[in-house]
Amino acid sequence: MPLETTRFDIQDHLKTHEDRLLYLEAAFDDGDPALIAHALGDVARTVDMTSLAKDVVVARQVLYEAPSETGDPRLSTVLSVIKALGLKISVVSNKEPV
């Protein structure tokens, strides 16, 4: 008997602001720029992309393409999306100062 599986969609698990925040925190903790961009795209797709694009002042298509495997979002785009999502980036030390 074959094993039945269902398609996993992260958007099914990013229902609340806190869910989205924790997901992005995990991506930033990993530190991989591609993973961060992908996670940011996942979170952006959980909200209304049209209004998000207006808040970020970029074309909707840019929001879809930037976090893709071939995309390379500019820092200004990343920061604008984070701000439009009601989030902010903080820098904390993970070691003793030099």
Side-chain angles (χ1 to χ4, degrees):
M1 177 185 302
L3 178 65
E4 285 190 42
T5 61
T6 57
R7 187 176 181 323
F8 177 81
D9 187 351
I10 190 62
Q11 293 184 23
D12 294 337
H13 303 278
L14 299 176
K15 300 290 186 191
T16 68
H17 183 74
E18 183 178 2
D19 293 339
R20 294 185 288 269
L21 176 64
L22 292 172
Y23 182 63
L24 286 173
E25 282 181 354
F28 274 91
D29 283 347
D30 182 273
D32 178 7
L35 179 63
I36 293 168
H38 185 80
L40 192 57
D42 288 341
V43 170
R45 282 187 286 281
T46 66
V47 300
D48 177 28
M49 290 294 270
T50 302
S51 64
L52 183 64
K54 287 178 186 173
D55 289 344
V56 176
V57 193
V58 296
R60 237 176 77 202
Q61 190 63 26
V62 170
L63 292 179
Y64 284 108
E65 291 174 359
S68 72
E69 289 182 18
T70 58
D72 187 15
R74 298 175 63 176
L75 180 59
S76 59
T77 303
V78 171
L79 294 175
S80 295
V81 169
I82 288 172
K83 183 177 180 182
L85 290 170
L87 304 170
K88 70 177 184 176
I89 295 178
S90 297
V91 177
V92 296
S93 176
N94 65 351
K95 63 179 183 177
E96 290 296 316
V98 180

